[in-house]
Amino acid sequence: MVTVIRTAGAGVVGLAEKRPQGTSSDDGDVLYLHWSASEHILISRWTTQIAIRQAAGCANPTELPAWVSAVISRACRQASGNMYGFINTCLQSLVTEKFGEETWEKLKASAEVQDAFMTYTVYDDIITIKLIQEACKVLGVSMEAILKLFGEYFFKFCKMSGYDRMLRTLGGNLTEFIENLDALHSYLALSYQEMNAPSFRVERGADGQMLLHYYSDRRGLCHIVPGILEAVAKDFFDMDVTMDILDVNEEVERTGKKEHVVFLVAQKSRRQTRRAKPNGLQDAFLRMKEKYLSVSVCPVKKSNWDVVRSIVTFGKGHLRDTFEPIYPESLWIEAKTFCEAFPFHIIFDEALRVKQAGVNVQKYVPGLQTQKIRLDEYFSIVHPQVTFNISSICKFINSQFVLKTRRERMPEAWKDQPTLKLRGQMIWMESLRCMIFLCSPKLRSLQELEERKMHLSDIAPHDTTRDLILLNQQRLAEMELSNQLERKKEELRVLSKHLAIEKKKTETLLYAMLPQHVANQLKEGKKVAAGEFETCTILFSDVVTFTNICAACEPIHIVNMLNSMYSKFDRLTSVHEVYKVETIGDAYMVVGGVPVPVGSHAQRVANFALGMRIAAKEVMNPVTGEPIQIRVGIHTGPVLAGVVGDKMPRYCLFGDTVNTASRMESHGLPNKVHLSPTAYRALENQGFEITERGEIEVKGKGKMTTYFLIQNLNATEDEIMGRPKTPLDHKVCFNFSPNRFSRRLR
């Protein structure tokens, strides 16, 4: 909730939202931001929806300063929850590698995710949760199993992504590794600014066991942790780890309810006892000698027993395992020198009263020069997200802390610039009962340095923050370039996908005009040689009285009639696997056995002709309103086939067989399929009913004995037409298939 309110002196008038109990004006879940001398903005991240309401007398909320808009935008993103594309890309890689690309596409469709993920782009948590939930349904496994598998793979994915060395150097054992995870997340936040990482705290126990406290704003994802840590222990430390959940609860922290899970972690070494090397005794002697020499020249006086003990215990481990530091009796550094050498440090007592501060902390937070001021009056804790008191700080003493200055405590001239964040380590000094915060400014780039009116000279020469800012400046530039490349890659992927769709459309159209193998040769720039076919079957058809129909009605009616008829015929060519050669006016020409030779070419064309006769009954004569009548002629014989023309090339047939087939059509009768003698012989004894027409005079051929094709005795009308089966058909015809009779004749 974002509420614009109006102040009156020290009080607040028109407050539209009740502040959560126990929170101050800038306690993290509520940001109390100065707009002007009399107006403020209260931002609470308890709700996921950000709304701006104007209290009586306030200025237009659309006139908010740029920094206020930025804070509101960030509060909105943090409230709704988000993950970087790196996480979703890892999930995609896991599903693709383990279960295949098809499974991932199915998950995306189920979760209604369309686009690919980009590494440095922020996505809503809901997308990731949806994908995980759909994975549970599709793969038939529990949420716990999926999350643990994801945790194991996430560790592997991070190593593959270039974080291997960074992870290996976090600690010498699993405990140290976990204790430094928060520091790693803090470093990664320099690049992934919107990252909302979980927090970890370790309690050491006996027998190699430890209690791991896991805190996260995201509920229900704790099972990822065992997957990650078990993989880390096995890979980095050669350990077997078992993790059991002892307790799950919600703690009300500074930013709202946070899931707190306590794991019991048991470790067991996987290393086997190794045999001693032949020269082990000699090596041990040399190590003991070196140890003795190093001890003998030590300036600190030790008893003889201490010397002997140090030599004996040396053989049990490495020198660094038995190292004991030496401390001076008093600190040899002046207070002034210390404050200048560590310009960013703060010492405060149990009541949070500031006792000491570095010179540059005082410079950029002038209020710290005031005596007996409380640290929480000028700072709020950003990370870890805990209440600002000594007990909470001690609980997370091994974590990296980030403090942020309170804007309302800054000088009026600084109100428009971003707040200063300090990142560092809390160290408890028991003898003084005080806490020291050794820190540095948290800056990601030179731009942020300039925005806070700071210079590199403000940072101590020994502080690596100087190098970090410069290195991260380059890193941010590389990230931006990487982001641009990812966006271009995604654009190319989408364009490639669209291109493939358009290419398929073009190929479909091309294959409708030319045989596929011919079209492929033409696409490759090759010339298609004419081919001879020893035997094939050619069919011609035309519409009876087509000339009279054209003379009696509008051209559009003719076009509609022919389109309806040809569409039905075209479908039948796919059913019976014959090749449509061309159409001229009302004439329709197909061939079987060309361009791909097949033994059943005559049967296929015959079945196609029977289908044409049935389909023609569904096309109406625009003049009479009655079904049209067609003539069909079929002839079998040899042909020559080839591509002719460069512009709109056509696959044409040549030879006397074409002429004879045309004569069979022109000398045929309405609604009859007219067969030549060679076509009759090809269909004889093939399950067709054929009647003899007798001897007729054929133009250019003389007398010929021709025949009429009546029906296919082995196929139903639905099979001829390629119609889908009905439930009744399942009972009557068990072996039905639209192309059964055609496939059987091959």
Side-chain angles (χ1 to χ4, degrees):
M1 183 73 67
V2 177
T3 308
V4 180
I5 60 175
R6 194 168 183 83
T7 60
V12 176
V13 179
L15 181 60
E17 181 186 24
K18 183 179 179 181
R19 180 178 299 162
Q21 187 175 2
T23 61
S24 61
S25 60
D26 189 6
D27 208 22
D29 57 335
V30 176
L31 303 180
Y32 191 56
L33 308 175
H34 286 269
W35 183 358
S36 65
S38 61
E39 289 148 1
H40 299 73
I41 294 181
L42 183 69
I43 302 178
S44 171
R45 286 181 277 210
W46 288 92
T47 55
T48 58
Q49 184 179 4
I50 296 284
I52 298 181
R53 298 200 303 268
Q54 182 177 358
C58 280
N60 191 338
T62 60
E63 299 175 359
L64 296 174
W67 66 266
V68 175
S69 300
V71 171
I72 293 174
S73 177
R74 181 173 299 177
C76 184
R77 288 195 298 270
Q78 291 178 353
S80 60
N82 51 68
M83 289 188 186
Y84 276 89
F86 183 83
I87 303 296
N88 296 326
T89 303
C90 174
L91 181 59
Q92 176 182 353
S93 180
L94 166 63
V95 175
T96 303
E97 181 178 316
K98 301 288 186 182
F99 308 102
E101 185 70 32
E102 293 182 0
T103 304
W104 172 249
E105 293 299 329
K106 188 175 181 181
L107 287 182
K108 282 180 60 179
S110 301
E112 299 178 350
V113 177
Q114 301 296 329
D115 299 327
F117 298 109
M118 290 187 286
T119 304
Y120 300 109
T121 301
V122 177
Y123 298 89
D124 198 294
D125 284 356
I126 295 175
I127 296 176
T128 309
I129 299 300
K130 271 187 177 181
L131 287 171
I132 294 175
Q133 291 173 343
E134 292 301 324
C136 294
K137 296 177 184 177
V138 172
L139 303 176
V141 295
S142 65
M143 176 75 80
E144 179 179 347
I146 285 288
L147 291 175
K148 186 172 182 180
L149 178 63
F150 175 76
E152 294 173 359
Y153 190 84
F154 182 70
F155 169 65
K156 174 183 175 183
F157 189 76
C158 288
K159 289 173 60 181
M160 293 188 300
S161 301
Y163 294 98
D164 184 21
R165 183 169 295 175
M166 185 182 296
L167 292 171
R168 286 183 184 276
T169 55
L170 276 186
N173 54 54
L174 185 61
T175 303
E176 293 176 355
F177 179 91
I178 297 172
E179 287 177 339
N180 284 282
L181 278 177
D182 282 12
L184 175 63
H185 290 153
S186 179
Y187 166 74
L188 293 176
L190 296 174
S191 300
Y192 301 89
Q193 190 175 12
E194 304 300 329
M195 184 174 69
N196 184 14
S199 185
F200 299 89
R201 179 169 63 88
V202 174
E203 286 185 26
R204 302 171 188 265
D207 302 327
Q209 294 182 341
M210 64 178 174
L211 294 180
L212 171 61
H213 296 262
Y214 161 82
Y215 302 85
S216 176
D217 290 330
R218 301 179 175 93
R219 296 169 180 80
L221 301 182
C222 61
H223 298 291
I224 295 177
V225 178
I228 295 176
L229 295 185
E230 287 176 14
V232 169
K234 192 174 296 184
D235 191 329
F236 288 171
F237 309 113
D238 199 22
M239 303 279 291
D240 282 327
V241 169
T242 58
M243 297 182 64
D244 299 309
I245 296 179
L246 295 183
D247 186 37
V248 179
N249 57 66
E250 288 186 344
E251 293 186 359
V252 179
E253 295 290 352
R254 186 178 50 80
T255 56
K257 292 184 178 179
K258 182 182 290 292
E259 185 177 62
H260 176 199
V261 181
V262 182
F263 293 95
L264 174 63
V265 184
Q267 307 176 57
K268 183 178 180 182
S269 176
R270 304 175 69 213
R271 297 174 182 172
Q272 298 179 350
T273 305
R274 300 174 181 175
R275 294 182 179 180
K277 296 181 180 180
N279 60 346
L281 185 60
Q282 182 180 358
D283 292 341
F285 174 77
L286 292 175
R287 289 197 301 269
M288 292 175 67
K289 182 179 179 182
E290 292 172 358
K291 174 65 176 176
Y292 176 78
L293 293 175
S294 66
V295 172
S296 63
V297 297
C298 182
V300 180
K301 185 177 181 180
K302 287 189 176 182
S303 67
N304 294 333
W305 172 246
D306 290 335
V307 173
V308 173
R309 183 173 59 185
S310 64
I311 295 175
V312 173
T313 57
F314 178 75
K316 296 182 180 180
H318 194 275
L319 175 61
R320 66 185 179 188
D321 297 329
T322 59
F323 170 74
E324 295 181 5
I326 300 171
Y327 302 103
E329 295 180 359
S330 61
L331 191 62
W332 290 83
I333 187 171
E334 298 175 340
K336 178 181 177 182
T337 304
F338 185 89
C339 290
E340 291 177 348
F342 299 93
F344 291 95
H345 81 273
I346 304 172
I347 298 178
F348 55 96
D349 61 15
E350 295 174 289
L352 303 183
R353 290 188 295 267
V354 176
K355 298 296 185 180
Q356 177 179 313
V359 291
N360 284 343
V361 173
Q362 300 176 39
K363 177 180 177 182
Y364 291 101
V365 188
L368 295 184
Q369 295 179 321
T370 307
Q371 296 295 323
K372 297 182 180 181
I373 61 104
R374 286 172 54 92
L375 186 63
D376 57 347
E377 293 178 6
Y378 286 85
F379 289 92
S380 61
I381 299 179
V382 176
H383 180 84
Q385 296 175 348
V386 296
T387 307
F388 208 146
N389 55 53
I390 284 292
S391 60
S392 296
I393 294 173
C394 289
K395 186 189 296 185
F396 287 84
I397 196 70
N398 292 321
S399 300
Q400 190 175 68
F401 278 76
V402 178
L403 303 188
K404 182 181 68 172
T405 57
R406 297 186 183 277
R407 188 178 299 276
E408 68 273 16
R409 287 290 190 173
M410 295 297 102
E412 190 66 32
W414 297 2
K415 294 293 179 64
D416 291 335
Q417 68 185 45
T419 54
L420 175 65
K421 291 182 180 179
L422 300 177
R423 177 181 58 194
Q425 178 185 10
M426 294 285 186
I427 301 174
W428 176 248
M429 298 179 290
E430 181 64 30
S431 60
L432 299 177
R433 304 298 294 175
C434 287
M435 186 79 72
I436 180 172
F437 180 44
L438 288 174
C439 55
S440 300
K442 185 182 179 183
L443 302 169
R444 299 174 67 243
S445 63
L446 295 175
Q447 179 182 348
E448 291 187 1
L449 189 76
E450 293 175 343
E451 288 174 349
R452 288 158 180 79
K453 304 295 190 294
M454 298 181 69
H455 303 85
L456 286 175
S457 59
D458 293 325
I459 303 171
H462 62 78
D463 193 339
T464 56
T465 303
R466 284 184 171 208
D467 300 329
L468 191 62
I469 293 173
L470 297 175
L471 289 173
N472 201 55
Q473 180 74 22
Q474 181 180 356
R475 169 67 174 158
L476 290 175
E478 292 173 353
M479 282 177 54
E480 179 60 29
L481 180 60
S482 176
N483 222 353
Q484 292 178 9
L485 290 175
E486 279 192 332
R487 285 195 294 268
K488 293 298 181 184
K489 180 181 176 182
E490 178 61 15
E491 290 174 6
L492 288 174
R493 187 190 69 83
V494 174
L495 289 175
S496 178
K497 185 177 180 180
H498 291 164
L499 181 61
I501 294 173
E502 295 303 320
K503 181 181 177 183
K504 188 171 182 63
K505 291 179 181 178
T506 303
E507 289 179 344
T508 301
L509 181 60
L510 183 60
Y511 294 154
M513 299 172 60
L514 295 169
Q516 184 169 343
H517 75 281
V518 173
N520 290 337
Q521 288 180 337
L522 291 175
K523 284 197 300 180
E524 293 171 2
K526 299 177 181 178
K527 289 190 176 182
V528 182
E532 293 184 6
F533 295 85
E534 294 182 359
T535 179
C536 69
T537 300
I538 298 176
L539 174 149
F540 277 94
S541 74
D542 73 345
V543 178
V544 178
T545 68
F546 181 71
T547 304
N548 297 335
I549 295 174
C550 291
C553 62
E554 296 293 329
I556 188 63
H557 297 149
I558 303 299
V559 172
N560 291 338
M561 180 191 73
L562 292 178
N563 182 59
S564 175
M565 181 179 69
Y566 288 161
S567 297
K568 298 177 187 298
F569 292 172
D570 290 346
R571 190 186 68 83
L572 289 173
T573 61
S574 300
V575 172
H576 299 288
E577 298 180 354
V578 294
Y579 179 69
K580 174 185 174 182
V581 181
E582 62 181 345
T583 59
I584 301 176
D586 63 327
Y588 196 92
M589 178 184 178
V590 300
V591 62
V594 177
V596 180
V598 62
S600 59
H601 55 85
Q603 295 94 313
R604 296 185 183 204
V605 173
N607 287 318
F608 175 77
L610 295 174
M612 292 178 75
R613 193 172 62 182
I614 297 171
K617 296 177 182 179
E618 301 174 3
V619 181
M620 298 300 146
N621 186 325
V623 178
T624 64
E626 299 293 328
I628 62 171
Q629 294 181 318
I630 62 171
R631 286 189 298 260
V632 180
I634 299 176
H635 178 61
T636 299
V639 296
L640 181 71
V643 178
V644 295
D646 293 327
K647 194 171 185 179
M648 292 189 66
R650 298 297 301 173
Y651 188 72
C652 297
L653 307 181
F654 303 92
D656 188 60
T657 300
V658 178
N659 297 330
T660 305
S662 179
R663 293 288 182 261
M664 290 298 100
E665 175 266 315
S666 61
H667 288 74
L669 298 177
N671 289 337
K672 295 289 186 179
V673 179
H674 197 199
L675 303 178
S676 70
T678 56
Y680 167 73
R681 286 192 292 272
L683 295 174
E684 192 175 13
N685 300 323
Q686 296 296 328
F688 291 93
E689 180 183 349
I690 302 174
T691 61
E692 183 179 334
R693 181 182 184 185
E695 191 175 72
I696 63 171
E697 183 72 27
V698 178
K699 182 179 179 181
K701 299 295 179 181
K703 294 184 180 295
M704 293 179 64
T705 300
T706 60
Y707 304 83
F708 287 126
L709 175 64
I710 305 304
Q711 64 176 337
N712 186 328
L713 299 174
N714 298 324
T716 65
E717 180 177 308
D718 286 341
E719 289 178 321
I720 292 290
M721 298 302 295
R723 294 168 183 156
K725 292 183 291 186
T726 62
L728 183 61
D729 294 329
H730 283 282
K731 298 179 182 178
V732 176
C733 183
F734 296 97
N735 296 320
F736 168 73
S737 172
N739 291 329
R740 174 176 59 80
F741 51 90
S742 296
R743 290 197 294 269
R744 188 179 65 244
L745 294 172
R746 293 176 187 172

